[in-house]
Amino acid sequence: QVQLVESGGGLVQPGGSLRLSCAASGIIRSINNMAWYRQAPGKERELVAAITSGGSTNYADSVKGRFTISRDNAKNTVYLQMNSLKAEDTAVYYCNADVKDPYRYLEVWGQGTLVTVSS
């Protein structure tokens, strides 16, 4: 069974930085797209950033210039470097990946990690 495990969330002051990590485990043949989503209280889940297996990226307008997504294909891990954090970045952040195991393609979600931006 393929799993995604996030880490790196926490409490940070406005203007601060955090780095989220998400590692995939299990029997994995390949991983195509990887992405970070977030869901703030009372709001729908939204795409924050995504990265292809080749390294192409796209970002939500609200985080462009502040967040950077990257991945280490050898470690099946995706990262989200978040700088200049704002209160409106407060949310549960979820990792998402398109994974191929020995039998099929799967869309896998992590359990989420809470990021709180507050003074």
Side-chain angles (χ1 to χ4, degrees), residues 8-70:
L11 174 64
V12 62
Q13 292 186 344
S17 298
L18 279 177
R19 189 191 194 209
L20 305 183
S21 299
C22 170
S25 63
I27 301 175
I28 297 169
R29 291 288 180 257
S30 63
I31 302 178
N32 192 6
N33 297 332
M34 303 186 82
W36 289 95
Y37 287 74
R38 67 185 180 187
Q39 187 167 20
K43 295 188 177 181
E44 294 186 353
R45 191 174 296 189
E46 64 174 355
L47 176 67
V48 176
I51 185 168
T52 68
S53 57
S56 297
T57 59
N58 69 282
Y59 297 91
D61 288 342
S62 59
V63 306
K64 282 181 180 176
R66 300 188 298 123
F67 291 11
T68 302
I69 189 171
S70 61

Short mmCIF file of all heavy atoms in Angstrom, two decimals, residues 8-70:
data_model
loop_
_atom_site.label_atom_id
_atom_site.label_comp_id
_atom_site.label_asym_id
_atom_site.label_seq_id
_atom_site.Cartn_x
_atom_site.Cartn_y
_atom_site.Cartn_z
N GLY A 8 6.69 18.88 8.97
CA GLY A 8 7.22 20.23 8.87
C GLY A 8 6.25 21.34 9.21
O GLY A 8 6.63 22.51 9.23
N GLY A 9 4.99 21.02 9.47
CA GLY A 9 4.04 22.05 9.84
C GLY A 9 4.31 22.58 11.24
O GLY A 9 5.15 22.06 11.97
N GLY A 10 3.59 23.63 11.60
CA GLY A 10 3.75 24.20 12.93
C GLY A 10 3.29 25.63 12.99
O GLY A 10 2.62 26.12 12.08
N LEU A 11 3.66 26.29 14.08
CA LEU A 11 3.30 27.68 14.32
C LEU A 11 4.47 28.58 13.92
O LEU A 11 5.61 28.32 14.34
CB LEU A 11 2.95 27.88 15.79
CG LEU A 11 2.69 29.32 16.25
CD1 LEU A 11 1.45 29.88 15.56
CD2 LEU A 11 2.53 29.36 17.77
N VAL A 12 4.17 29.61 13.16
CA VAL A 12 5.22 30.53 12.72
C VAL A 12 4.64 31.95 12.72
O VAL A 12 3.44 32.13 12.50
CB VAL A 12 5.75 30.15 11.33
CG1 VAL A 12 4.67 30.23 10.28
CG2 VAL A 12 6.96 30.98 10.94
N GLN A 13 5.49 32.93 12.97
CA GLN A 13 5.04 34.32 12.97
C GLN A 13 4.92 34.84 11.53
O GLN A 13 5.60 34.33 10.63
CB GLN A 13 6.03 35.18 13.74
CG GLN A 13 6.05 34.90 15.23
CD GLN A 13 6.94 35.87 15.99
OE1 GLN A 13 7.77 36.57 15.40
NE2 GLN A 13 6.76 35.94 17.30
N PRO A 14 4.07 35.83 11.33
CA PRO A 14 3.99 36.45 10.00
C PRO A 14 5.37 36.91 9.54
O PRO A 14 6.15 37.46 10.31
CB PRO A 14 3.05 37.63 10.22
CG PRO A 14 2.19 37.20 11.37
CD PRO A 14 3.10 36.40 12.27
N GLY A 15 5.65 36.64 8.26
CA GLY A 15 6.96 36.96 7.71
C GLY A 15 7.98 35.85 7.83
O GLY A 15 9.06 35.91 7.24
N GLY A 16 7.64 34.82 8.59
CA GLY A 16 8.55 33.72 8.81
C GLY A 16 8.51 32.69 7.68
O GLY A 16 7.82 32.87 6.67
N SER A 17 9.24 31.60 7.90
CA SER A 17 9.37 30.55 6.89
C SER A 17 9.14 29.17 7.50
O SER A 17 9.40 28.97 8.70
CB SER A 17 10.77 30.58 6.26
OG SER A 17 11.01 31.79 5.59
N LEU A 18 8.68 28.27 6.67
CA LEU A 18 8.55 26.86 7.03
C LEU A 18 8.86 26.03 5.79
O LEU A 18 8.63 26.48 4.66
CB LEU A 18 7.14 26.51 7.51
CG LEU A 18 6.73 26.82 8.94
CD1 LEU A 18 5.26 26.45 9.14
CD2 LEU A 18 7.60 26.08 9.95
N ARG A 19 9.32 24.82 6.02
CA ARG A 19 9.55 23.88 4.93
C ARG A 19 8.78 22.60 5.22
O ARG A 19 9.02 21.93 6.23
CB ARG A 19 11.03 23.55 4.77
CG ARG A 19 11.35 22.74 3.51
CD ARG A 19 12.76 22.24 3.54
NE ARG A 19 13.19 21.75 2.24
CZ ARG A 19 14.10 20.79 2.08
NH1 ARG A 19 14.65 20.22 3.13
NH2 ARG A 19 14.47 20.42 0.86
N LEU A 20 7.86 22.26 4.32
CA LEU A 20 7.09 21.03 4.42
C LEU A 20 7.76 19.94 3.59
O LEU A 20 8.30 20.22 2.52
CB LEU A 20 5.66 21.24 3.95
CG LEU A 20 4.86 22.36 4.60
CD1 LEU A 20 3.43 22.36 4.04
CD2 LEU A 20 4.85 22.23 6.11
N SER A 21 7.67 18.72 4.09
CA SER A 21 8.17 17.57 3.36
C SER A 21 7.06 16.53 3.26
O SER A 21 6.21 16.42 4.13
CB SER A 21 9.38 16.95 4.08
OG SER A 21 10.45 17.86 4.19
N CYS A 22 7.11 15.75 2.20
CA CYS A 22 6.13 14.66 2.00
C CYS A 22 6.85 13.51 1.33
O CYS A 22 7.34 13.64 0.20
CB CYS A 22 4.98 15.14 1.14
SG CYS A 22 3.86 13.83 0.61
N ALA A 23 6.91 12.39 2.04
CA ALA A 23 7.62 11.22 1.53
C ALA A 23 6.63 10.11 1.19
O ALA A 23 5.74 9.79 2.00
CB ALA A 23 8.62 10.73 2.56
N ALA A 24 6.79 9.53 0.02
CA ALA A 24 5.97 8.40 -0.40
C ALA A 24 6.66 7.10 -0.02
O ALA A 24 7.87 6.96 -0.20
CB ALA A 24 5.73 8.45 -1.90
N SER A 25 5.87 6.15 0.48
CA SER A 25 6.42 4.85 0.84
C SER A 25 5.53 3.74 0.31
O SER A 25 4.36 3.96 0.02
CB SER A 25 6.55 4.74 2.36
OG SER A 25 5.29 4.81 2.98
N GLY A 26 6.10 2.55 0.21
CA GLY A 26 5.38 1.41 -0.33
C GLY A 26 6.09 0.91 -1.58
O GLY A 26 7.20 1.33 -1.89
N ILE A 27 5.42 0.03 -2.30
CA ILE A 27 6.01 -0.51 -3.53
C ILE A 27 5.61 0.43 -4.66
O ILE A 27 4.46 0.43 -5.11
CB ILE A 27 5.53 -1.94 -3.80
CG1 ILE A 27 5.91 -2.84 -2.62
CG2 ILE A 27 6.17 -2.46 -5.10
CD1 ILE A 27 5.38 -4.24 -2.74
N ILE A 28 6.58 1.24 -5.10
CA ILE A 28 6.31 2.30 -6.07
C ILE A 28 7.14 2.07 -7.32
O ILE A 28 8.35 1.90 -7.24
CB ILE A 28 6.66 3.67 -5.46
CG1 ILE A 28 5.76 3.95 -4.25
CG2 ILE A 28 6.51 4.77 -6.50
CD1 ILE A 28 6.19 5.15 -3.43
N ARG A 29 6.47 2.07 -8.47
CA ARG A 29 7.19 1.96 -9.73
C ARG A 29 7.59 3.33 -10.26
O ARG A 29 8.69 3.51 -10.78
CB ARG A 29 6.32 1.23 -10.76
CG ARG A 29 6.13 -0.24 -10.45
CD ARG A 29 7.39 -1.04 -10.70
NE ARG A 29 7.20 -2.45 -10.41
CZ ARG A 29 7.63 -3.04 -9.31
NH1 ARG A 29 8.26 -2.33 -8.39
NH2 ARG A 29 7.44 -4.33 -9.11
N SER A 30 6.68 4.28 -10.12
CA SER A 30 6.98 5.63 -10.57
C SER A 30 5.98 6.60 -9.95
O SER A 30 4.90 6.20 -9.52
CB SER A 30 6.94 5.75 -12.10
OG SER A 30 5.64 5.47 -12.58
N ILE A 31 6.38 7.87 -9.92
CA ILE A 31 5.48 8.94 -9.45
C ILE A 31 5.47 10.01 -10.53
O ILE A 31 6.53 10.50 -10.92
CB ILE A 31 5.93 9.53 -8.12
CG1 ILE A 31 6.00 8.44 -7.04
CG2 ILE A 31 4.97 10.64 -7.68
CD1 ILE A 31 6.49 8.94 -5.69
N ASN A 32 4.29 10.37 -10.97
CA ASN A 32 4.16 11.41 -11.98
C ASN A 32 4.06 12.75 -11.27
O ASN A 32 5.01 13.23 -10.69
CB ASN A 32 2.98 11.13 -12.89
CG ASN A 32 2.98 12.01 -14.12
OD1 ASN A 32 3.92 12.77 -14.36
ND2 ASN A 32 1.91 11.94 -14.89
N ASN A 33 2.92 13.38 -11.31
CA ASN A 33 2.76 14.69 -10.68
C ASN A 33 2.71 14.56 -9.16
O ASN A 33 2.14 13.62 -8.62
CB ASN A 33 1.49 15.37 -11.17
CG ASN A 33 1.53 15.66 -12.65
OD1 ASN A 33 2.58 15.84 -13.24
ND2 ASN A 33 0.36 15.69 -13.27
N MET A 34 3.30 15.55 -8.50
CA MET A 34 3.19 15.70 -7.05
C MET A 34 2.73 17.13 -6.77
O MET A 34 3.07 18.04 -7.53
CB MET A 34 4.50 15.41 -6.34
CG MET A 34 5.07 14.03 -6.63
SD MET A 34 6.54 13.62 -5.67
CE MET A 34 5.77 13.08 -4.12
N ALA A 35 1.98 17.29 -5.69
CA ALA A 35 1.40 18.61 -5.46
C ALA A 35 1.13 18.83 -3.97
O ALA A 35 1.08 17.88 -3.19
CB ALA A 35 0.10 18.77 -6.24
N TRP A 36 0.98 20.09 -3.64
CA TRP A 36 0.53 20.50 -2.32
C TRP A 36 -0.81 21.24 -2.47
O TRP A 36 -0.94 22.12 -3.32
CB TRP A 36 1.54 21.42 -1.65
CG TRP A 36 2.78 20.72 -1.22
CD1 TRP A 36 3.96 20.62 -1.91
CD2 TRP A 36 2.98 20.01 0.01
NE1 TRP A 36 4.88 19.90 -1.19
CE2 TRP A 36 4.30 19.51 0.00
CE3 TRP A 36 2.18 19.77 1.13
CZ2 TRP A 36 4.82 18.77 1.06
CZ3 TRP A 36 2.71 19.03 2.17
CH2 TRP A 36 4.02 18.54 2.13
N TYR A 37 -1.75 20.85 -1.64
CA TYR A 37 -3.04 21.53 -1.52
C TYR A 37 -3.15 22.06 -0.09
O TYR A 37 -2.42 21.64 0.80
CB TYR A 37 -4.19 20.56 -1.78
CG TYR A 37 -4.36 20.16 -3.22
CD1 TYR A 37 -3.48 19.25 -3.82
CD2 TYR A 37 -5.41 20.66 -3.99
CE1 TYR A 37 -3.65 18.86 -5.14
CE2 TYR A 37 -5.58 20.28 -5.31
CZ TYR A 37 -4.70 19.39 -5.88
OH TYR A 37 -4.86 19.01 -7.19
N ARG A 38 -4.08 22.96 0.11
CA ARG A 38 -4.36 23.40 1.48
C ARG A 38 -5.85 23.66 1.64
O ARG A 38 -6.56 23.94 0.67
CB ARG A 38 -3.57 24.67 1.82
CG ARG A 38 -3.97 25.92 1.05
CD ARG A 38 -3.03 27.07 1.39
NE ARG A 38 -3.37 28.30 0.68
CZ ARG A 38 -2.63 29.40 0.68
NH1 ARG A 38 -1.49 29.44 1.38
NH2 ARG A 38 -3.02 30.46 0.02
N GLN A 39 -6.27 23.56 2.88
CA GLN A 39 -7.67 23.81 3.21
C GLN A 39 -7.73 24.62 4.49
O GLN A 39 -7.32 24.13 5.56
CB GLN A 39 -8.46 22.52 3.35
CG GLN A 39 -9.95 22.74 3.53
CD GLN A 39 -10.74 21.47 3.34
OE1 GLN A 39 -10.22 20.37 3.43
NE2 GLN A 39 -12.04 21.61 3.06
N ALA A 40 -8.22 25.84 4.38
CA ALA A 40 -8.39 26.71 5.54
C ALA A 40 -9.77 26.46 6.14
O ALA A 40 -10.68 25.98 5.46
CB ALA A 40 -8.23 28.17 5.12
N PRO A 41 -9.95 26.79 7.42
CA PRO A 41 -11.25 26.58 8.06
C PRO A 41 -12.37 27.27 7.29
O PRO A 41 -12.28 28.45 6.94
CB PRO A 41 -11.07 27.22 9.44
CG PRO A 41 -9.60 27.13 9.69
CD PRO A 41 -8.95 27.33 8.36
N GLY A 42 -13.41 26.50 6.99
CA GLY A 42 -14.57 27.06 6.30
C GLY A 42 -14.39 27.27 4.83
O GLY A 42 -15.28 27.83 4.17
N LYS A 43 -13.27 26.83 4.28
CA LYS A 43 -13.01 27.02 2.85
C LYS A 43 -12.77 25.69 2.16
O LYS A 43 -12.51 24.67 2.81
CB LYS A 43 -11.80 27.93 2.65
CG LYS A 43 -12.00 29.36 3.14
CD LYS A 43 -10.85 30.25 2.74
CE LYS A 43 -11.09 31.69 3.15
NZ LYS A 43 -9.96 32.57 2.75
N GLU A 44 -12.87 25.71 0.83
CA GLU A 44 -12.62 24.50 0.06
C GLU A 44 -11.12 24.26 -0.08
O GLU A 44 -10.32 25.19 0.02
CB GLU A 44 -13.26 24.62 -1.32
CG GLU A 44 -14.77 24.67 -1.29
CD GLU A 44 -15.39 24.63 -2.68
OE1 GLU A 44 -14.63 24.71 -3.66
OE2 GLU A 44 -16.61 24.53 -2.77
N ARG A 45 -10.77 23.01 -0.33
CA ARG A 45 -9.38 22.67 -0.57
C ARG A 45 -8.94 23.30 -1.89
O ARG A 45 -9.67 23.26 -2.88
CB ARG A 45 -9.20 21.15 -0.61
CG ARG A 45 -7.76 20.69 -0.61
CD ARG A 45 -7.66 19.18 -0.50
NE ARG A 45 -8.21 18.71 0.77
CZ ARG A 45 -8.09 17.45 1.21
NH1 ARG A 45 -7.43 16.56 0.47
NH2 ARG A 45 -8.63 17.08 2.35
N GLU A 46 -7.73 23.88 -1.89
CA GLU A 46 -7.23 24.53 -3.10
C GLU A 46 -5.82 24.08 -3.41
O GLU A 46 -5.04 23.74 -2.50
CB GLU A 46 -7.25 26.06 -2.92
CG GLU A 46 -6.34 26.58 -1.83
CD GLU A 46 -6.27 28.10 -1.77
OE1 GLU A 46 -6.87 28.77 -2.64
OE2 GLU A 46 -5.60 28.62 -0.86
N LEU A 47 -5.48 24.11 -4.69
CA LEU A 47 -4.13 23.77 -5.11
C LEU A 47 -3.19 24.91 -4.76
O LEU A 47 -3.47 26.08 -5.06
CB LEU A 47 -4.10 23.52 -6.62
CG LEU A 47 -2.72 23.25 -7.22
CD1 LEU A 47 -2.17 21.92 -6.73
CD2 LEU A 47 -2.81 23.27 -8.75
N VAL A 48 -2.07 24.56 -4.14
CA VAL A 48 -1.05 25.54 -3.80
C VAL A 48 0.07 25.53 -4.85
O VAL A 48 0.44 26.56 -5.39
CB VAL A 48 -0.45 25.27 -2.41
CG1 VAL A 48 0.69 26.23 -2.10
CG2 VAL A 48 -1.53 25.35 -1.34
N ALA A 49 0.59 24.33 -5.12
CA ALA A 49 1.69 24.21 -6.07
C ALA A 49 1.76 22.77 -6.54
O ALA A 49 1.38 21.84 -5.81
CB ALA A 49 3.02 24.61 -5.42
N ALA A 50 2.27 22.59 -7.76
CA ALA A 50 2.40 21.25 -8.33
C ALA A 50 3.72 21.16 -9.10
O ALA A 50 4.24 22.18 -9.58
CB ALA A 50 1.23 20.94 -9.24
N ILE A 51 4.21 19.93 -9.22
CA ILE A 51 5.46 19.71 -9.94
C ILE A 51 5.38 18.38 -10.67
O ILE A 51 4.91 17.38 -10.11
CB ILE A 51 6.67 19.76 -8.96
CG1 ILE A 51 7.99 19.64 -9.73
CG2 ILE A 51 6.55 18.69 -7.87
CD1 ILE A 51 9.21 19.97 -8.86
N THR A 52 5.81 18.37 -11.93
CA THR A 52 5.82 17.14 -12.70
C THR A 52 7.09 16.33 -12.41
O THR A 52 8.01 16.82 -11.75
CB THR A 52 5.76 17.45 -14.20
OG1 THR A 52 7.00 18.08 -14.59
CG2 THR A 52 4.61 18.38 -14.54
N SER A 53 7.13 15.13 -12.93
CA SER A 53 8.31 14.29 -12.74
C SER A 53 9.54 14.92 -13.40
O SER A 53 10.67 14.67 -12.96
CB SER A 53 8.08 12.90 -13.30
OG SER A 53 7.73 12.97 -14.68
N GLY A 54 9.32 15.75 -14.40
CA GLY A 54 10.41 16.42 -15.08
C GLY A 54 10.83 17.73 -14.45
O GLY A 54 11.80 18.35 -14.89
N GLY A 55 10.07 18.17 -13.44
CA GLY A 55 10.45 19.38 -12.72
C GLY A 55 9.69 20.63 -13.10
O GLY A 55 9.96 21.71 -12.56
N SER A 56 8.73 20.54 -14.01
CA SER A 56 7.91 21.71 -14.33
C SER A 56 6.98 22.01 -13.17
O SER A 56 6.42 21.09 -12.57
CB SER A 56 7.11 21.45 -15.60
OG SER A 56 7.97 21.26 -16.71
N THR A 57 6.82 23.30 -12.89
CA THR A 57 6.04 23.70 -11.73
C THR A 57 4.93 24.68 -12.10
O THR A 57 5.00 25.36 -13.13
CB THR A 57 6.94 24.37 -10.67
OG1 THR A 57 7.56 25.53 -11.26
CG2 THR A 57 8.01 23.41 -10.19
N ASN A 58 3.91 24.73 -11.25
CA ASN A 58 2.92 25.79 -11.33
C ASN A 58 2.44 26.11 -9.92
O ASN A 58 2.48 25.24 -9.04
CB ASN A 58 1.77 25.46 -12.26
CG ASN A 58 0.88 24.37 -11.75
OD1 ASN A 58 1.21 23.20 -11.84
ND2 ASN A 58 -0.27 24.73 -11.20
N TYR A 59 2.03 27.36 -9.74
CA TYR A 59 1.68 27.86 -8.41
C TYR A 59 0.35 28.61 -8.45
O TYR A 59 -0.01 29.22 -9.45
CB TYR A 59 2.75 28.84 -7.92
CG TYR A 59 4.11 28.22 -7.73
CD1 TYR A 59 5.05 28.20 -8.75
CD2 TYR A 59 4.46 27.65 -6.50
CE1 TYR A 59 6.29 27.63 -8.57
CE2 TYR A 59 5.71 27.09 -6.31
CZ TYR A 59 6.62 27.08 -7.35
OH TYR A 59 7.85 26.51 -7.16
N ALA A 60 -0.33 28.59 -7.32
CA ALA A 60 -1.47 29.48 -7.14
C ALA A 60 -0.97 30.92 -7.13
O ALA A 60 0.13 31.19 -6.63
CB ALA A 60 -2.19 29.16 -5.83
N ASP A 61 -1.77 31.83 -7.67
CA ASP A 61 -1.35 33.23 -7.73
C ASP A 61 -1.02 33.78 -6.34
O ASP A 61 -0.12 34.60 -6.19
CB ASP A 61 -2.44 34.08 -8.37
CG ASP A 61 -2.56 33.84 -9.86
OD1 ASP A 61 -1.61 33.29 -10.47
OD2 ASP A 61 -3.61 34.19 -10.43
N SER A 62 -1.73 33.29 -5.34
CA SER A 62 -1.58 33.83 -3.99
C SER A 62 -0.22 33.49 -3.35
O SER A 62 0.16 34.11 -2.36
CB SER A 62 -2.70 33.32 -3.08
OG SER A 62 -2.68 31.90 -3.03
N VAL A 63 0.49 32.51 -3.92
CA VAL A 63 1.76 32.11 -3.31
C VAL A 63 2.96 32.33 -4.23
O VAL A 63 4.10 32.09 -3.83
CB VAL A 63 1.73 30.63 -2.86
CG1 VAL A 63 0.54 30.38 -1.95
CG2 VAL A 63 1.73 29.68 -4.05
N LYS A 64 2.71 32.79 -5.45
CA LYS A 64 3.81 33.00 -6.39
C LYS A 64 4.82 33.99 -5.82
O LYS A 64 4.44 35.02 -5.28
CB LYS A 64 3.27 33.52 -7.72
CG LYS A 64 2.65 32.46 -8.59
CD LYS A 64 2.16 33.03 -9.90
CE LYS A 64 1.53 31.95 -10.77
NZ LYS A 64 0.95 32.51 -12.03
N GLY A 65 6.09 33.63 -5.93
CA GLY A 65 7.15 34.48 -5.43
C GLY A 65 7.46 34.26 -3.96
O GLY A 65 8.48 34.77 -3.46
N ARG A 66 6.62 33.53 -3.25
CA ARG A 66 6.85 33.27 -1.82
C ARG A 66 7.11 31.79 -1.54
O ARG A 66 7.88 31.45 -0.65
CB ARG A 66 5.65 33.73 -1.00
CG ARG A 66 5.34 35.20 -1.12
CD ARG A 66 4.25 35.62 -0.13
NE ARG A 66 2.98 34.94 -0.36
CZ ARG A 66 2.35 34.22 0.56
NH1 ARG A 66 2.89 34.06 1.76
NH2 ARG A 66 1.19 33.65 0.28
N PHE A 67 6.43 30.90 -2.27
CA PHE A 67 6.54 29.46 -2.06
C PHE A 67 7.32 28.83 -3.21
O PHE A 67 7.22 29.28 -4.36
CB PHE A 67 5.17 28.80 -1.99
CG PHE A 67 4.36 29.13 -0.78
CD1 PHE A 67 4.72 30.15 0.11
CD2 PHE A 67 3.19 28.43 -0.51
CE1 PHE A 67 3.96 30.44 1.22
CE2 PHE A 67 2.41 28.71 0.60
CZ PHE A 67 2.80 29.73 1.45
N THR A 68 8.06 27.78 -2.89
CA THR A 68 8.79 27.02 -3.91
C THR A 68 8.57 25.53 -3.69
O THR A 68 8.82 25.02 -2.59
CB THR A 68 10.30 27.32 -3.85
OG1 THR A 68 10.52 28.72 -4.04
CG2 THR A 68 11.03 26.56 -4.95
N ILE A 69 8.10 24.86 -4.74
CA ILE A 69 7.93 23.41 -4.68
C ILE A 69 9.12 22.75 -5.36
O ILE A 69 9.63 23.25 -6.38
CB ILE A 69 6.61 22.97 -5.33
CG1 ILE A 69 6.34 21.49 -5.08
CG2 ILE A 69 6.59 23.30 -6.83
CD1 ILE A 69 4.93 21.04 -5.51
N SER A 70 9.59 21.65 -4.79
CA SER A 70 10.69 20.90 -5.37
C SER A 70 10.50 19.42 -5.03
O SER A 70 9.67 19.08 -4.19
CB SER A 70 12.05 21.40 -4.86
OG SER A 70 12.13 21.25 -3.45
#
